[in-house]
PDB file of all heavy atoms in Angstrom:
ATOM      1  N   GLY Z  13     128.359 167.693  97.785  1.00 97.00           N
ATOM      2  CA  GLY Z  13     128.069 166.811  98.899  1.00 97.00           C
ATOM      3  C   GLY Z  13     129.015 165.648  99.079  1.00 97.00           C
ATOM      4  O   GLY Z  13     128.905 164.915 100.066  1.00 97.00           O
ATOM      5  N   GLY Z  14     129.942 165.444  98.155  1.00 97.00           N
ATOM      6  CA  GLY Z  14     130.897 164.365  98.307  1.00 97.00           C
ATOM      7  C   GLY Z  14     131.899 164.660  99.403  1.00 97.00           C
ATOM      8  O   GLY Z  14     131.992 165.771  99.911  1.00 97.00           O
ATOM      9  N   GLY Z  15     132.655 163.635  99.786  1.00 98.00           N
ATOM     10  CA  GLY Z  15     133.652 163.802 100.819  1.00 98.00           C
ATOM     11  C   GLY Z  15     134.135 162.482 101.361  1.00 98.00           C
ATOM     12  O   GLY Z  15     133.922 161.435 100.761  1.00 98.00           O
ATOM     13  N   LEU Z  16     134.796 162.559 102.513  1.00 98.00           N
ATOM     14  CA  LEU Z  16     135.327 161.382 103.190  1.00 98.00           C
ATOM     15  C   LEU Z  16     134.420 161.014 104.354  1.00 98.00           C
ATOM     16  O   LEU Z  16     133.987 161.883 105.118  1.00 98.00           O
ATOM     17  CB  LEU Z  16     136.740 161.650 103.717  1.00 98.00           C
ATOM     18  CG  LEU Z  16     137.906 161.535 102.739  1.00 98.00           C
ATOM     19  CD1 LEU Z  16     137.813 162.587 101.641  1.00 98.00           C
ATOM     20  CD2 LEU Z  16     139.223 161.685 103.491  1.00 98.00           C
ATOM     21  N   VAL Z  17     134.127 159.726 104.495  1.00 98.00           N
ATOM     22  CA  VAL Z  17     133.267 159.251 105.564  1.00 98.00           C
ATOM     23  C   VAL Z  17     133.719 157.852 105.975  1.00 98.00           C
ATOM     24  O   VAL Z  17     134.251 157.099 105.161  1.00 98.00           O
ATOM     25  CB  VAL Z  17     131.781 159.254 105.125  1.00 98.00           C
ATOM     26  CG1 VAL Z  17     131.552 158.255 103.999  1.00 98.00           C
ATOM     27  CG2 VAL Z  17     130.854 158.985 106.294  1.00 98.00           C
ATOM     28  N   GLN Z  18     133.518 157.510 107.235  1.00 98.00           N
ATOM     29  CA  GLN Z  18     133.840 156.172 107.710  1.00 98.00           C
ATOM     30  C   GLN Z  18     132.745 155.186 107.322  1.00 98.00           C
ATOM     31  O   GLN Z  18     131.592 155.561 107.116  1.00 98.00           O
ATOM     32  CB  GLN Z  18     134.022 156.170 109.226  1.00 98.00           C
ATOM     33  CG  GLN Z  18     135.205 156.973 109.720  1.00 98.00           C
ATOM     34  CD  GLN Z  18     135.410 156.841 111.213  1.00 98.00           C
ATOM     35  OE1 GLN Z  18     135.036 155.853 111.834  1.00 98.00           O
ATOM     36  NE2 GLN Z  18     136.023 157.854 111.810  1.00 98.00           N
ATOM     37  N   ALA Z  19     133.121 153.926 107.207  1.00 98.00           N
ATOM     38  CA  ALA Z  19     132.145 152.882 106.909  1.00 98.00           C
ATOM     39  C   ALA Z  19     130.991 152.933 107.906  1.00 98.00           C
ATOM     40  O   ALA Z  19     131.206 153.098 109.107  1.00 98.00           O
ATOM     41  CB  ALA Z  19     132.807 151.512 106.931  1.00 98.00           C
ATOM     42  N   GLY Z  20     129.778 152.798 107.385  1.00 98.00           N
ATOM     43  CA  GLY Z  20     128.589 152.890 108.208  1.00 98.00           C
ATOM     44  C   GLY Z  20     128.000 154.279 108.284  1.00 98.00           C
ATOM     45  O   GLY Z  20     126.868 154.442 108.765  1.00 98.00           O
ATOM     46  N   GLY Z  21     128.722 155.266 107.798  1.00 98.00           N
ATOM     47  CA  GLY Z  21     128.255 156.638 107.833  1.00 98.00           C
ATOM     48  C   GLY Z  21     127.353 156.976 106.669  1.00 98.00           C
ATOM     49  O   GLY Z  21     126.995 156.119 105.854  1.00 98.00           O
ATOM     50  N   SER Z  22     126.991 158.258 106.575  1.00 98.00           N
ATOM     51  CA  SER Z  22     126.053 158.729 105.563  1.00 98.00           C
ATOM     52  C   SER Z  22     126.575 159.974 104.869  1.00 98.00           C
ATOM     53  O   SER Z  22     127.327 160.769 105.442  1.00 98.00           O
ATOM     54  CB  SER Z  22     124.694 159.048 106.194  1.00 98.00           C
ATOM     55  OG  SER Z  22     124.105 157.905 106.772  1.00 98.00           O
ATOM     56  N   LEU Z  23     126.166 160.146 103.615  1.00 98.00           N
ATOM     57  CA  LEU Z  23     126.404 161.352 102.850  1.00 98.00           C
ATOM     58  C   LEU Z  23     125.163 161.649 102.023  1.00 98.00           C
ATOM     59  O   LEU Z  23     124.416 160.731 101.663  1.00 98.00           O
ATOM     60  CB  LEU Z  23     127.604 161.208 101.910  1.00 98.00           C
ATOM     61  CG  LEU Z  23     129.010 161.238 102.507  1.00 98.00           C
ATOM     62  CD1 LEU Z  23     130.040 160.903 101.421  1.00 98.00           C
ATOM     63  CD2 LEU Z  23     129.313 162.598 103.110  1.00 98.00           C
ATOM     64  N   ARG Z  24     124.956 162.919 101.716  1.00 98.00           N
ATOM     65  CA  ARG Z  24     123.858 163.332 100.848  1.00 98.00           C
ATOM     66  C   ARG Z  24     124.433 164.123  99.682  1.00 98.00           C
ATOM     67  O   ARG Z  24     125.013 165.194  99.873  1.00 98.00           O
ATOM     68  CB  ARG Z  24     122.846 164.182 101.612  1.00 98.00           C
ATOM     69  CG  ARG Z  24     121.646 164.633 100.771  1.00 98.00           C
ATOM     70  CD  ARG Z  24     120.637 165.384 101.634  1.00 98.00           C
ATOM     71  NE  ARG Z  24     119.544 165.972 100.874  1.00 98.00           N
ATOM     72  CZ  ARG Z  24     118.441 165.331 100.510  1.00 98.00           C
ATOM     73  NH1 ARG Z  24     118.289 164.047 100.827  1.00 98.00           N
ATOM     74  NH2 ARG Z  24     117.486 165.955  99.832  1.00 98.00           N
ATOM     75  N   LEU Z  25     124.285 163.597  98.477  1.00 98.00           N
ATOM     76  CA  LEU Z  25     124.736 164.268  97.273  1.00 98.00           C
ATOM     77  C   LEU Z  25     123.597 165.076  96.668  1.00 98.00           C
ATOM     78  O   LEU Z  25     122.435 164.663  96.713  1.00 98.00           O
ATOM     79  CB  LEU Z  25     125.247 163.259  96.244  1.00 98.00           C
ATOM     80  CG  LEU Z  25     126.332 162.274  96.683  1.00 98.00           C
ATOM     81  CD1 LEU Z  25     126.757 161.409  95.498  1.00 98.00           C
ATOM     82  CD2 LEU Z  25     127.523 163.005  97.274  1.00 98.00           C
ATOM     83  N   SER Z  26     123.940 166.216  96.082  1.00 98.00           N
ATOM     84  CA  SER Z  26     122.959 167.043  95.405  1.00 98.00           C
ATOM     85  C   SER Z  26     123.484 167.427  94.035  1.00 98.00           C
ATOM     86  O   SER Z  26     124.692 167.558  93.827  1.00 98.00           O
ATOM     87  CB  SER Z  26     122.651 168.310  96.213  1.00 98.00           C
ATOM     88  OG  SER Z  26     122.069 167.988  97.457  1.00 98.00           O
ATOM     89  N   CYS Z  27     122.578 167.619  93.093  1.00 97.00           N
ATOM     90  CA  CYS Z  27     122.923 168.013  91.733  1.00 97.00           C
ATOM     91  C   CYS Z  27     121.908 169.044  91.271  1.00 97.00           C
ATOM     92  O   CYS Z  27     120.706 168.742  91.201  1.00 97.00           O
ATOM     93  CB  CYS Z  27     122.925 166.797  90.806  1.00 97.00           C
ATOM     94  SG  CYS Z  27     123.131 167.198  89.057  1.00 97.00           S
ATOM     95  N   ALA Z  28     122.381 170.240  90.945  1.00 95.00           N
ATOM     96  CA  ALA Z  28     121.523 171.321  90.488  1.00 95.00           C
ATOM     97  C   ALA Z  28     121.691 171.519  88.988  1.00 95.00           C
ATOM     98  O   ALA Z  28     122.817 171.601  88.488  1.00 95.00           O
ATOM     99  CB  ALA Z  28     121.849 172.611  91.230  1.00 95.00           C
ATOM    100  N   ALA Z  29     120.578 171.613  88.280  1.00 94.00           N
ATOM    101  CA  ALA Z  29     120.585 171.821  86.837  1.00 94.00           C
ATOM    102  C   ALA Z  29     120.312 173.284  86.516  1.00 94.00           C
ATOM    103  O   ALA Z  29     119.520 173.946  87.184  1.00 94.00           O
ATOM    104  CB  ALA Z  29     119.545 170.938  86.158  1.00 94.00           C
ATOM    105  N   SER Z  30     120.959 173.775  85.473  1.00 93.00           N
ATOM    106  CA  SER Z  30     120.732 175.135  85.001  1.00 93.00           C
ATOM    107  C   SER Z  30     120.860 175.162  83.486  1.00 93.00           C
ATOM    108  O   SER Z  30     121.281 174.198  82.864  1.00 93.00           O
ATOM    109  CB  SER Z  30     121.711 176.118  85.645  1.00 93.00           C
ATOM    110  OG  SER Z  30     123.049 175.801  85.295  1.00 93.00           O
ATOM    111  N   GLY Z  31     120.494 176.300  82.885  1.00 91.00           N
ATOM    112  CA  GLY Z  31     120.525 176.438  81.446  1.00 91.00           C
ATOM    113  C   GLY Z  31     119.155 176.181  80.845  1.00 91.00           C
ATOM    114  O   GLY Z  31     118.146 176.643  81.370  1.00 91.00           O
ATOM    115  N   SER Z  32     119.120 175.436  79.759  1.00 86.00           N
ATOM    116  CA  SER Z  32     117.869 175.098  79.084  1.00 86.00           C
ATOM    117  C   SER Z  32     117.249 173.888  79.761  1.00 86.00           C
ATOM    118  O   SER Z  32     117.352 172.751  79.275  1.00 86.00           O
ATOM    119  CB  SER Z  32     118.129 174.839  77.599  1.00 86.00           C
ATOM    120  OG  SER Z  32     118.691 175.977  76.969  1.00 86.00           O
ATOM    121  N   ILE Z  33     116.598 174.134  80.886  1.00 82.00           N
ATOM    122  CA  ILE Z  33     116.154 173.039  81.746  1.00 82.00           C
ATOM    123  C   ILE Z  33     114.756 172.531  81.435  1.00 82.00           C
ATOM    124  O   ILE Z  33     114.302 171.573  82.065  1.00 82.00           O
ATOM    125  CB  ILE Z  33     116.238 173.433  83.228  1.00 82.00           C
ATOM    126  CG1 ILE Z  33     115.376 174.666  83.503  1.00 82.00           C
ATOM    127  CG2 ILE Z  33     117.688 173.685  83.626  1.00 82.00           C
ATOM    128  CD1 ILE Z  33     115.320 175.062  84.966  1.00 82.00           C
ATOM    129  N   SER Z  34     114.059 173.154  80.499  1.00 83.00           N
ATOM    130  CA  SER Z  34     112.748 172.656  80.121  1.00 83.00           C
ATOM    131  C   SER Z  34     112.886 171.293  79.450  1.00 83.00           C
ATOM    132  O   SER Z  34     113.895 170.996  78.810  1.00 83.00           O
ATOM    133  CB  SER Z  34     112.044 173.637  79.189  1.00 83.00           C
ATOM    134  OG  SER Z  34     112.756 173.786  77.973  1.00 83.00           O
ATOM    135  N   SER Z  35     111.876 170.467  79.622  1.00 83.00           N
ATOM    136  CA  SER Z  35     111.784 169.145  78.993  1.00 83.00           C
ATOM    137  C   SER Z  35     112.800 168.131  79.520  1.00 83.00           C
ATOM    138  O   SER Z  35     113.001 167.089  78.896  1.00 83.00           O
ATOM    139  CB  SER Z  35     111.910 169.248  77.469  1.00 83.00           C
ATOM    140  OG  SER Z  35     110.900 170.077  76.932  1.00 83.00           O
ATOM    141  N   ILE Z  36     113.441 168.413  80.648  1.00 88.00           N
ATOM    142  CA  ILE Z  36     114.311 167.407  81.267  1.00 88.00           C
ATOM    143  C   ILE Z  36     113.442 166.246  81.725  1.00 88.00           C
ATOM    144  O   ILE Z  36     112.422 166.432  82.383  1.00 88.00           O
ATOM    145  CB  ILE Z  36     115.106 167.986  82.444  1.00 88.00           C
ATOM    146  CG1 ILE Z  36     116.200 168.924  81.942  1.00 88.00           C
ATOM    147  CG2 ILE Z  36     115.720 166.864  83.273  1.00 88.00           C
ATOM    148  CD1 ILE Z  36     117.029 169.551  83.043  1.00 88.00           C
ATOM    149  N   ASN Z  37     113.841 165.042  81.364  1.00 91.00           N
ATOM    150  CA  ASN Z  37     113.069 163.855  81.718  1.00 91.00           C
ATOM    151  C   ASN Z  37     113.761 163.107  82.856  1.00 91.00           C
ATOM    152  O   ASN Z  37     113.758 163.571  83.992  1.00 91.00           O
ATOM    153  CB  ASN Z  37     112.877 162.973  80.491  1.00 91.00           C
ATOM    154  CG  ASN Z  37     111.819 161.908  80.702  1.00 91.00           C
ATOM    155  OD1 ASN Z  37     111.123 161.884  81.715  1.00 91.00           O
ATOM    156  ND2 ASN Z  37     111.685 161.001  79.745  1.00 91.00           N
TER     157      ASN Z  37
END
């Protein structure tokens, strides 16, 4: 979701977890 944007604009970042994902706090 990163990138270039002009001042005043918006971006939405996302992060997906995988692997041993149980017990993530």
Side-chain angles (χ1 to χ4, degrees):
L16 279 64
V17 65
Q18 295 185 26
S22 298
L23 286 173
R24 181 176 173 84
L25 306 183
S26 297
C27 173
S30 62
S32 300
I33 59 176
S34 63
S35 301
I36 288 179
N37 194 7

